[in-house]
Amino acid sequence: MSERKPLRSARWFGRPDKYGFYARSWMRNQGIPSEMFDGRPVIGICNTWSELTPCNAHLRQLAEHVKRGILVAGGLPLEFPVMSLGETLVRPTAMLYRNQVSIDVEETLRANPIDGVVLLAGCDKTTPALLMGAASVDLPTVLVSGGPMLNGRVRGKQVGSGTDVIRFAEAVQIGTMSQEEFYEAEASMSRSPGSCMTMGTASTMASLAEAMGIALPYNATWPAVDSRRAVLAEKSGHHIVDLVRTDVPMSKIVTREALENAIVVNGGIGGSTNAVVHLIALAGRLGLELTLDDWDRLGRVVPCLLDLMPSGQFLMEEFCYAGGLPALMKELKPLLHGGCITVEGATIADRLDEAECFDRTVIRTLEEPFKPLGGIAVLRGNLAPSGAVIKPSAASPELMKHRGRAVVFENMPDFKKRIDDPDLDVDADSILVLKHGGPIGYPGMPEIGNMPLPKKLRAAGVLDMVRISDARMSGTAFGTVVLHVAPEAAIGGPLALVRNGDFIELDVEARSLNLDVSEAELAQRRAEWTPPPPHYDRGYGRMFLDNVQQADRGVDFGFLVGGSGHPVPAESA
């Protein structure tokens, strides 16, 4: 029988000298008894609770269930906070701070006597930020999501986060919904703790964590207020202690094959385009190469099986009651790496054996999918040499191959100023182009890519147009929207050179996005182009501008690619 690997925490709590005295004595002021320092695993609970992050405001209660599971399994739970990111309040965008939170997680884990960690996440950027930070340290890890809200209900109808907000705002503007009805919907949409109950980025990333095996089954779909989520949290506490004792680090679970499973599942659920940048960044932290080409190759063969907003009509409650992600993944089983291990010690294939679908109107089959195209399509051409993405399941089929005249907006203030001008030279065949929405240009790459249509066209009944930008869009959004154009306009990418009246050709089937302007003309425009001034000259903002990579590289900092592991640092004295 091989000797068990010494725990990291023993280098703090297991010493008979003054360093051990310091570590144990100061922890005792919290009422921790001496037997808790007997060599049992010390488990960190990384909590993104904050009243400024509505999606995560219930995580303090969920942490208590995780603690109970850790204690019952023989571990010592120690909860700690990190910066929390709420997409609804943080400006200019929560994405600007995703990398900062990942650094917070990484350095807290490495600097402290922690043997394994449970990550408590919810709102969009908290899940990838915590996974990225934990990946850089590579300790045993389990992720627990806060879960989706209950379905919104107003005037006898279901309403979904984000997706219906977009529709309501447009309806108010063109006069088909009153301001009073708008306020009534506001009060009826977010009626319980939890994150968006549409397939936004929060639900997408919770689903992908489950698909990768780093979270337990049904992590994505139990509602935040369902008692079974508390049970899942307690079970996660059990499993993290087992992972520490058997020495299973995060990298043994989130492998290349697990990441590929996540891409396939993203197609099956009609998941958010934001997953592209998050998974590429996560792979980089693990020392794995994941590219846009992988997203396109794996996504091409995956239909959308889930009828859920924004691609469909239902919400996360219906997905849960229909059998949840395990039921959907069972349909995708021929496309998955079934041998990938999970945090509970089973394989992905084992998880799916007992899964069952209870509602075929919500979860469809491979033979009869909800929509034929579910994966993210990656476009390239002279307008996006490093790539751009589009979500076919949320787009209009008739616009997937389109040639139109560009109506160009230099930035978001320019867009807001002119989009509803009755004299704007635009028609339904035009292509709206927004510049300076990328990582450096905005800064932070906000969710502004799904530009509202011109008021005069909406009033005339136009429901969708091709829109192109170097920005992102919310997972709750919809439309024929081309995003993440790289290189971005702010660093002189071809998007910066587009002018009003230029013709652009989009062909999703051919995976092409081209500007119909001669190379000679583009060269002349490039010579005339000057970069915009930087948004920051100090602090984290300056560090972001100096180190952020483009969308095709996951918008991570270059110096964070590849992890540093978890060696025990030297003593402070």
Side-chain angles (χ1 to χ4, degrees), residues 392-448:
S393 66
S396 300
E398 68 274 13
L399 292 176
M400 298 282 272
K401 185 173 183 179
H402 184 75
R403 186 174 189 269
R405 177 174 54 87
V407 178
V408 179
F409 302 92
E410 291 298 320
N411 48 45
M412 184 47 70
D414 181 38
F415 177 86
K416 291 179 178 179
K417 179 180 179 181
R418 296 195 293 121
I419 188 61
D420 291 328
D421 185 340
D423 297 325
L424 182 68
D425 185 11
V426 63
D427 58 38
D429 291 327
S430 300
I431 294 178
L432 304 182
V433 176
L434 175 63
K435 303 178 183 179
H436 297 99
I440 292 174
Y442 198 76
M445 201 180 179
E447 295 178 340
I448 57 174

Short mmCIF file of all heavy atoms in Angstrom, two decimals, residues 392-448:
data_model
loop_
_atom_site.label_atom_id
_atom_site.label_comp_id
_atom_site.label_asym_id
_atom_site.label_seq_id
_atom_site.Cartn_x
_atom_site.Cartn_y
_atom_site.Cartn_z
N PRO A 392 -26.19 30.02 -34.57
CA PRO A 392 -27.24 29.72 -35.55
C PRO A 392 -28.61 29.46 -34.93
O PRO A 392 -29.63 29.81 -35.53
CB PRO A 392 -26.70 28.48 -36.26
CG PRO A 392 -25.23 28.56 -36.11
CD PRO A 392 -25.02 29.15 -34.75
N SER A 393 -28.65 28.84 -33.74
CA SER A 393 -29.94 28.50 -33.16
C SER A 393 -30.76 29.72 -32.77
O SER A 393 -31.98 29.63 -32.61
CB SER A 393 -29.74 27.60 -31.94
OG SER A 393 -29.07 28.29 -30.89
N ALA A 394 -30.11 30.88 -32.61
CA ALA A 394 -30.81 32.11 -32.24
C ALA A 394 -30.94 33.07 -33.41
O ALA A 394 -31.43 34.18 -33.24
CB ALA A 394 -30.08 32.80 -31.09
N ALA A 395 -30.50 32.65 -34.60
CA ALA A 395 -30.49 33.52 -35.78
C ALA A 395 -31.67 33.23 -36.70
O ALA A 395 -32.36 32.21 -36.56
CB ALA A 395 -29.18 33.35 -36.53
N SER A 396 -31.90 34.12 -37.65
CA SER A 396 -32.97 33.95 -38.64
C SER A 396 -32.42 33.17 -39.83
O SER A 396 -31.45 33.63 -40.45
CB SER A 396 -33.49 35.31 -39.11
OG SER A 396 -34.02 36.04 -38.02
N PRO A 397 -33.01 32.05 -40.19
CA PRO A 397 -32.47 31.23 -41.28
C PRO A 397 -32.31 31.99 -42.59
O PRO A 397 -31.34 31.78 -43.32
CB PRO A 397 -33.50 30.10 -41.41
CG PRO A 397 -34.14 30.01 -40.06
CD PRO A 397 -34.17 31.41 -39.53
N GLU A 398 -33.24 32.90 -42.87
CA GLU A 398 -33.17 33.62 -44.15
C GLU A 398 -32.03 34.61 -44.21
O GLU A 398 -31.69 35.11 -45.30
CB GLU A 398 -34.50 34.33 -44.42
CG GLU A 398 -34.81 35.49 -43.47
CD GLU A 398 -35.50 35.06 -42.18
OE1 GLU A 398 -35.51 33.84 -41.88
OE2 GLU A 398 -36.01 35.95 -41.46
N LEU A 399 -31.41 34.92 -43.07
CA LEU A 399 -30.29 35.87 -43.05
C LEU A 399 -28.94 35.19 -42.92
O LEU A 399 -27.91 35.87 -42.87
CB LEU A 399 -30.47 36.86 -41.90
CG LEU A 399 -31.63 37.85 -42.01
CD1 LEU A 399 -31.73 38.70 -40.75
CD2 LEU A 399 -31.46 38.74 -43.24
N MET A 400 -28.91 33.88 -42.89
CA MET A 400 -27.65 33.16 -42.69
C MET A 400 -26.74 33.27 -43.91
O MET A 400 -25.54 33.02 -43.81
CB MET A 400 -27.93 31.70 -42.36
CG MET A 400 -28.71 31.51 -41.08
SD MET A 400 -27.71 31.69 -39.61
CE MET A 400 -27.14 30.01 -39.43
N LYS A 401 -27.31 33.61 -45.03
CA LYS A 401 -26.52 33.97 -46.21
C LYS A 401 -27.07 35.28 -46.70
O LYS A 401 -28.22 35.37 -47.14
CB LYS A 401 -26.61 32.90 -47.30
CG LYS A 401 -25.70 33.18 -48.49
CD LYS A 401 -25.69 32.03 -49.48
CE LYS A 401 -24.71 32.31 -50.63
NZ LYS A 401 -24.67 31.17 -51.60
N HIS A 402 -26.23 36.33 -46.61
CA HIS A 402 -26.77 37.67 -46.84
C HIS A 402 -25.66 38.61 -47.32
O HIS A 402 -24.52 38.52 -46.87
CB HIS A 402 -27.37 38.22 -45.54
CG HIS A 402 -28.04 39.55 -45.68
ND1 HIS A 402 -29.27 39.70 -46.26
CD2 HIS A 402 -27.63 40.79 -45.32
CE1 HIS A 402 -29.61 40.98 -46.25
NE2 HIS A 402 -28.62 41.67 -45.68
N ARG A 403 -26.03 39.48 -48.24
CA ARG A 403 -25.13 40.54 -48.69
C ARG A 403 -25.85 41.86 -48.48
O ARG A 403 -26.98 42.03 -48.93
CB ARG A 403 -24.76 40.38 -50.16
CG ARG A 403 -23.71 41.38 -50.66
CD ARG A 403 -23.28 41.05 -52.09
NE ARG A 403 -22.13 41.83 -52.52
CZ ARG A 403 -22.21 43.01 -53.14
NH1 ARG A 403 -23.40 43.54 -53.42
NH2 ARG A 403 -21.11 43.65 -53.49
N GLY A 404 -25.21 42.77 -47.75
CA GLY A 404 -25.88 44.02 -47.44
C GLY A 404 -24.92 45.18 -47.33
O GLY A 404 -23.70 45.02 -47.24
N ARG A 405 -25.52 46.36 -47.33
CA ARG A 405 -24.77 47.61 -47.26
C ARG A 405 -24.53 47.96 -45.80
O ARG A 405 -25.45 47.94 -44.97
CB ARG A 405 -25.57 48.70 -47.96
CG ARG A 405 -24.99 50.09 -47.95
CD ARG A 405 -25.84 51.02 -48.81
NE ARG A 405 -27.24 50.97 -48.41
CZ ARG A 405 -27.77 51.73 -47.45
NH1 ARG A 405 -26.99 52.59 -46.78
NH2 ARG A 405 -29.04 51.65 -47.15
N ALA A 406 -23.30 48.28 -45.46
CA ALA A 406 -22.95 48.58 -44.07
C ALA A 406 -23.48 49.93 -43.63
O ALA A 406 -23.35 50.94 -44.34
CB ALA A 406 -21.43 48.54 -43.91
N VAL A 407 -24.08 49.92 -42.45
CA VAL A 407 -24.42 51.15 -41.73
C VAL A 407 -23.54 51.15 -40.49
O VAL A 407 -23.72 50.33 -39.59
CB VAL A 407 -25.91 51.21 -41.37
CG1 VAL A 407 -26.22 52.48 -40.59
CG2 VAL A 407 -26.77 51.13 -42.62
N VAL A 408 -22.57 52.06 -40.45
CA VAL A 408 -21.46 51.96 -39.51
C VAL A 408 -21.63 52.92 -38.34
O VAL A 408 -21.98 54.09 -38.51
CB VAL A 408 -20.13 52.24 -40.23
CG1 VAL A 408 -18.96 52.16 -39.25
CG2 VAL A 408 -19.93 51.25 -41.37
N PHE A 409 -21.36 52.40 -37.14
CA PHE A 409 -21.33 53.20 -35.92
C PHE A 409 -19.95 53.06 -35.31
O PHE A 409 -19.46 51.95 -35.08
CB PHE A 409 -22.41 52.72 -34.95
CG PHE A 409 -23.79 52.76 -35.54
CD1 PHE A 409 -24.32 51.65 -36.19
CD2 PHE A 409 -24.54 53.92 -35.50
CE1 PHE A 409 -25.58 51.68 -36.76
CE2 PHE A 409 -25.81 53.97 -36.06
CZ PHE A 409 -26.34 52.85 -36.70
N GLU A 410 -19.31 54.16 -35.06
CA GLU A 410 -17.92 54.15 -34.60
C GLU A 410 -17.76 53.64 -33.17
O GLU A 410 -16.72 53.10 -32.81
CB GLU A 410 -17.31 55.55 -34.72
CG GLU A 410 -17.09 56.00 -36.16
CD GLU A 410 -16.13 55.10 -36.91
OE1 GLU A 410 -15.11 54.68 -36.31
OE2 GLU A 410 -16.39 54.81 -38.10
N ASN A 411 -18.81 53.82 -32.37
CA ASN A 411 -18.78 53.36 -30.98
C ASN A 411 -20.21 53.37 -30.46
O ASN A 411 -21.14 53.78 -31.17
CB ASN A 411 -17.85 54.22 -30.12
CG ASN A 411 -18.10 55.71 -30.32
OD1 ASN A 411 -19.25 56.15 -30.34
ND2 ASN A 411 -17.04 56.48 -30.47
N MET A 412 -20.39 52.94 -29.22
CA MET A 412 -21.74 52.86 -28.68
C MET A 412 -22.40 54.24 -28.51
O MET A 412 -23.60 54.38 -28.80
CB MET A 412 -21.74 52.09 -27.36
CG MET A 412 -23.13 51.87 -26.76
SD MET A 412 -24.43 51.28 -27.89
CE MET A 412 -23.89 49.60 -28.22
N PRO A 413 -21.69 55.29 -28.06
CA PRO A 413 -22.34 56.60 -28.02
C PRO A 413 -22.84 57.04 -29.40
O PRO A 413 -23.93 57.62 -29.51
CB PRO A 413 -21.24 57.52 -27.49
CG PRO A 413 -20.39 56.63 -26.66
CD PRO A 413 -20.37 55.32 -27.38
N ASP A 414 -22.07 56.78 -30.43
CA ASP A 414 -22.49 57.10 -31.79
C ASP A 414 -23.74 56.31 -32.17
O ASP A 414 -24.67 56.84 -32.78
CB ASP A 414 -21.34 56.80 -32.76
CG ASP A 414 -21.68 57.12 -34.21
OD1 ASP A 414 -22.36 58.13 -34.45
OD2 ASP A 414 -21.25 56.35 -35.11
N PHE A 415 -23.77 55.04 -31.79
CA PHE A 415 -24.93 54.20 -32.07
C PHE A 415 -26.18 54.75 -31.39
O PHE A 415 -27.23 54.90 -32.02
CB PHE A 415 -24.65 52.76 -31.60
CG PHE A 415 -25.82 51.84 -31.78
CD1 PHE A 415 -26.03 51.19 -32.98
CD2 PHE A 415 -26.72 51.63 -30.74
CE1 PHE A 415 -27.11 50.35 -33.16
CE2 PHE A 415 -27.80 50.78 -30.90
CZ PHE A 415 -28.00 50.14 -32.12
N LYS A 416 -26.07 55.05 -30.10
CA LYS A 416 -27.23 55.53 -29.36
C LYS A 416 -27.73 56.86 -29.90
O LYS A 416 -28.94 57.14 -29.89
CB LYS A 416 -26.87 55.67 -27.87
CG LYS A 416 -26.66 54.32 -27.17
CD LYS A 416 -26.29 54.52 -25.71
CE LYS A 416 -26.13 53.18 -25.00
NZ LYS A 416 -25.75 53.34 -23.58
N LYS A 417 -26.83 57.67 -30.39
CA LYS A 417 -27.19 58.99 -30.90
C LYS A 417 -27.96 58.89 -32.22
O LYS A 417 -28.89 59.67 -32.47
CB LYS A 417 -25.92 59.82 -31.09
CG LYS A 417 -26.16 61.22 -31.64
CD LYS A 417 -24.84 61.97 -31.79
CE LYS A 417 -25.07 63.36 -32.38
NZ LYS A 417 -23.78 64.10 -32.54
N ARG A 418 -27.59 57.91 -33.08
CA ARG A 418 -28.11 57.93 -34.45
C ARG A 418 -29.09 56.80 -34.81
O ARG A 418 -29.79 56.90 -35.81
CB ARG A 418 -26.94 57.87 -35.43
CG ARG A 418 -26.01 59.07 -35.37
CD ARG A 418 -25.11 59.12 -36.58
NE ARG A 418 -24.14 58.03 -36.62
CZ ARG A 418 -24.07 57.15 -37.62
NH1 ARG A 418 -24.90 57.21 -38.64
NH2 ARG A 418 -23.15 56.19 -37.58
N ILE A 419 -29.15 55.72 -34.01
CA ILE A 419 -29.87 54.54 -34.46
C ILE A 419 -31.36 54.81 -34.69
O ILE A 419 -31.97 54.23 -35.59
CB ILE A 419 -29.69 53.36 -33.47
CG1 ILE A 419 -30.28 52.08 -34.05
CG2 ILE A 419 -30.27 53.69 -32.11
CD1 ILE A 419 -29.67 51.61 -35.33
N ASP A 420 -31.96 55.70 -33.90
CA ASP A 420 -33.38 55.97 -34.06
C ASP A 420 -33.67 57.28 -34.79
O ASP A 420 -34.82 57.76 -34.79
CB ASP A 420 -34.06 55.96 -32.69
CG ASP A 420 -34.11 54.57 -32.09
OD1 ASP A 420 -34.20 53.59 -32.86
OD2 ASP A 420 -34.04 54.45 -30.85
N ASP A 421 -32.66 57.83 -35.42
CA ASP A 421 -32.84 59.03 -36.24
C ASP A 421 -33.71 58.67 -37.45
O ASP A 421 -33.36 57.76 -38.22
CB ASP A 421 -31.48 59.54 -36.70
CG ASP A 421 -31.56 60.86 -37.45
OD1 ASP A 421 -32.66 61.20 -37.96
OD2 ASP A 421 -30.53 61.53 -37.57
N PRO A 422 -34.85 59.32 -37.63
CA PRO A 422 -35.70 59.01 -38.78
C PRO A 422 -34.99 59.16 -40.12
O PRO A 422 -35.40 58.54 -41.12
CB PRO A 422 -36.86 60.02 -38.65
CG PRO A 422 -36.85 60.43 -37.23
CD PRO A 422 -35.41 60.39 -36.80
N ASP A 423 -33.95 59.97 -40.15
CA ASP A 423 -33.23 60.20 -41.40
C ASP A 423 -32.06 59.24 -41.62
O ASP A 423 -31.33 59.36 -42.61
CB ASP A 423 -32.71 61.64 -41.45
CG ASP A 423 -33.83 62.67 -41.44
OD1 ASP A 423 -34.89 62.37 -42.04
OD2 ASP A 423 -33.66 63.74 -40.83
N LEU A 424 -31.85 58.29 -40.69
CA LEU A 424 -30.77 57.32 -40.86
C LEU A 424 -30.97 56.54 -42.15
O LEU A 424 -32.05 56.01 -42.41
CB LEU A 424 -30.74 56.36 -39.66
CG LEU A 424 -29.61 55.32 -39.67
CD1 LEU A 424 -28.25 55.99 -39.49
CD2 LEU A 424 -29.84 54.27 -38.58
N ASP A 425 -29.93 56.49 -42.97
CA ASP A 425 -29.99 55.79 -44.25
C ASP A 425 -29.82 54.30 -44.02
O ASP A 425 -28.72 53.76 -44.06
CB ASP A 425 -28.89 56.33 -45.17
CG ASP A 425 -28.97 55.73 -46.58
OD1 ASP A 425 -29.99 55.07 -46.89
OD2 ASP A 425 -28.00 55.90 -47.35
N VAL A 426 -30.94 53.61 -43.77
CA VAL A 426 -30.91 52.20 -43.43
C VAL A 426 -32.18 51.54 -43.93
O VAL A 426 -33.25 52.16 -43.94
CB VAL A 426 -30.76 52.00 -41.91
CG1 VAL A 426 -31.95 52.56 -41.16
CG2 VAL A 426 -30.51 50.54 -41.55
N ASP A 427 -32.08 50.29 -44.35
CA ASP A 427 -33.26 49.50 -44.70
C ASP A 427 -33.07 48.09 -44.15
O ASP A 427 -32.04 47.77 -43.54
CB ASP A 427 -33.51 49.51 -46.21
CG ASP A 427 -32.34 48.98 -47.02
OD1 ASP A 427 -31.68 48.00 -46.57
OD2 ASP A 427 -32.07 49.52 -48.11
N ALA A 428 -34.05 47.24 -44.36
CA ALA A 428 -34.04 45.91 -43.77
C ALA A 428 -32.89 45.05 -44.27
O ALA A 428 -32.47 44.10 -43.58
CB ALA A 428 -35.36 45.20 -44.05
N ASP A 429 -32.36 45.36 -45.44
CA ASP A 429 -31.24 44.58 -45.99
C ASP A 429 -29.88 45.09 -45.54
O ASP A 429 -28.85 44.46 -45.82
CB ASP A 429 -31.30 44.57 -47.52
CG ASP A 429 -32.48 43.76 -48.06
OD1 ASP A 429 -32.84 42.78 -47.40
OD2 ASP A 429 -33.03 44.15 -49.11
N SER A 430 -29.86 46.23 -44.88
CA SER A 430 -28.59 46.78 -44.41
C SER A 430 -27.98 45.89 -43.35
O SER A 430 -28.66 45.08 -42.72
CB SER A 430 -28.80 48.19 -43.84
OG SER A 430 -29.32 49.08 -44.81
N ILE A 431 -26.68 46.07 -43.14
CA ILE A 431 -25.96 45.37 -42.08
C ILE A 431 -25.44 46.41 -41.10
O ILE A 431 -24.69 47.32 -41.48
CB ILE A 431 -24.80 44.53 -42.65
CG1 ILE A 431 -25.35 43.39 -43.51
CG2 ILE A 431 -23.92 43.98 -41.52
CD1 ILE A 431 -24.28 42.53 -44.16
N LEU A 432 -25.87 46.29 -39.83
CA LEU A 432 -25.42 47.23 -38.80
C LEU A 432 -24.03 46.81 -38.33
O LEU A 432 -23.82 45.65 -37.97
CB LEU A 432 -26.39 47.24 -37.63
CG LEU A 432 -27.86 47.55 -37.94
CD1 LEU A 432 -28.67 47.58 -36.65
CD2 LEU A 432 -28.00 48.87 -38.70
N VAL A 433 -23.10 47.75 -38.31
CA VAL A 433 -21.72 47.49 -37.91
C VAL A 433 -21.36 48.40 -36.74
O VAL A 433 -21.47 49.62 -36.85
CB VAL A 433 -20.74 47.72 -39.08
CG1 VAL A 433 -19.30 47.53 -38.61
CG2 VAL A 433 -21.05 46.79 -40.24
N LEU A 434 -20.95 47.79 -35.65
CA LEU A 434 -20.53 48.55 -34.46
C LEU A 434 -19.06 48.30 -34.19
O LEU A 434 -18.63 47.15 -34.03
CB LEU A 434 -21.36 48.14 -33.25
CG LEU A 434 -20.97 48.77 -31.91
CD1 LEU A 434 -21.16 50.28 -31.94
CD2 LEU A 434 -21.77 48.15 -30.77
N LYS A 435 -18.28 49.37 -34.10
CA LYS A 435 -16.86 49.28 -33.80
C LYS A 435 -16.59 49.57 -32.32
O LYS A 435 -17.44 50.10 -31.61
CB LYS A 435 -16.07 50.29 -34.65
CG LYS A 435 -16.26 50.15 -36.15
CD LYS A 435 -15.47 51.24 -36.87
CE LYS A 435 -15.68 51.21 -38.38
NZ LYS A 435 -14.92 52.28 -39.07
N HIS A 436 -15.39 49.25 -31.89
CA HIS A 436 -14.88 49.59 -30.56
C HIS A 436 -15.75 49.03 -29.43
O HIS A 436 -16.06 49.72 -28.45
CB HIS A 436 -14.72 51.11 -30.43
CG HIS A 436 -13.70 51.67 -31.39
ND1 HIS A 436 -14.07 52.27 -32.58
CD2 HIS A 436 -12.35 51.65 -31.37
CE1 HIS A 436 -12.98 52.63 -33.23
NE2 HIS A 436 -11.92 52.26 -32.51
N GLY A 437 -16.09 47.75 -29.58
CA GLY A 437 -16.78 47.03 -28.52
C GLY A 437 -15.96 45.86 -28.00
O GLY A 437 -16.46 45.03 -27.26
N GLY A 438 -14.69 45.80 -28.41
CA GLY A 438 -13.83 44.67 -28.07
C GLY A 438 -13.15 44.81 -26.72
O GLY A 438 -13.43 45.75 -25.95
N PRO A 439 -12.23 43.90 -26.40
CA PRO A 439 -11.56 43.92 -25.10
C PRO A 439 -10.87 45.25 -24.79
O PRO A 439 -10.95 45.74 -23.66
CB PRO A 439 -10.53 42.78 -25.22
CG PRO A 439 -11.10 41.86 -26.25
CD PRO A 439 -11.82 42.74 -27.22
N ILE A 440 -10.20 45.82 -25.78
CA ILE A 440 -9.49 47.08 -25.57
C ILE A 440 -10.38 48.27 -25.91
O ILE A 440 -10.33 49.31 -25.27
CB ILE A 440 -8.19 47.10 -26.39
CG1 ILE A 440 -7.21 46.07 -25.83
CG2 ILE A 440 -7.56 48.49 -26.42
CD1 ILE A 440 -5.95 45.88 -26.64
N GLY A 441 -11.24 48.11 -26.88
CA GLY A 441 -11.99 49.24 -27.41
C GLY A 441 -13.04 49.83 -26.51
O GLY A 441 -13.29 51.03 -26.56
N TYR A 442 -13.70 49.00 -25.67
CA TYR A 442 -14.82 49.57 -24.91
C TYR A 442 -14.42 50.26 -23.62
O TYR A 442 -14.95 51.37 -23.38
CB TYR A 442 -15.85 48.48 -24.62
CG TYR A 442 -17.20 49.07 -24.23
CD1 TYR A 442 -18.02 49.62 -25.22
CD2 TYR A 442 -17.62 49.13 -22.92
CE1 TYR A 442 -19.23 50.18 -24.89
CE2 TYR A 442 -18.84 49.68 -22.58
CZ TYR A 442 -19.65 50.21 -23.56
OH TYR A 442 -20.86 50.77 -23.23
N PRO A 443 -13.71 49.64 -22.67
CA PRO A 443 -12.95 48.39 -22.70
C PRO A 443 -13.73 47.24 -22.04
O PRO A 443 -14.77 47.46 -21.42
CB PRO A 443 -11.74 48.74 -21.84
CG PRO A 443 -12.32 49.65 -20.79
CD PRO A 443 -13.40 50.45 -21.48
N GLY A 444 -13.16 46.01 -22.17
CA GLY A 444 -13.68 44.85 -21.48
C GLY A 444 -14.59 43.96 -22.30
O GLY A 444 -15.01 42.93 -21.82
N MET A 445 -14.95 44.37 -23.52
CA MET A 445 -15.76 43.54 -24.41
C MET A 445 -17.16 43.31 -23.83
O MET A 445 -17.53 42.21 -23.45
CB MET A 445 -15.06 42.20 -24.68
CG MET A 445 -15.53 41.50 -25.93
SD MET A 445 -14.64 39.94 -26.13
CE MET A 445 -15.41 39.33 -27.63
N PRO A 446 -17.99 44.35 -23.77
CA PRO A 446 -19.31 44.25 -23.14
C PRO A 446 -20.32 43.52 -24.03
O PRO A 446 -20.06 43.22 -25.20
CB PRO A 446 -19.71 45.71 -22.95
CG PRO A 446 -19.06 46.39 -24.11
CD PRO A 446 -17.74 45.69 -24.30
N GLU A 447 -21.50 43.30 -23.48
CA GLU A 447 -22.57 42.60 -24.19
C GLU A 447 -23.46 43.61 -24.93
O GLU A 447 -24.62 43.81 -24.59
CB GLU A 447 -23.38 41.76 -23.20
CG GLU A 447 -22.54 40.65 -22.58
CD GLU A 447 -23.30 39.83 -21.56
OE1 GLU A 447 -24.34 40.31 -21.04
OE2 GLU A 447 -22.87 38.70 -21.27
N ILE A 448 -22.88 44.23 -25.96
CA ILE A 448 -23.61 45.24 -26.73
C ILE A 448 -23.73 44.85 -28.19
O ILE A 448 -24.19 45.63 -29.01
CB ILE A 448 -22.93 46.62 -26.61
CG1 ILE A 448 -21.46 46.53 -27.08
CG2 ILE A 448 -23.01 47.15 -25.19
CD1 ILE A 448 -20.75 47.88 -27.14
#
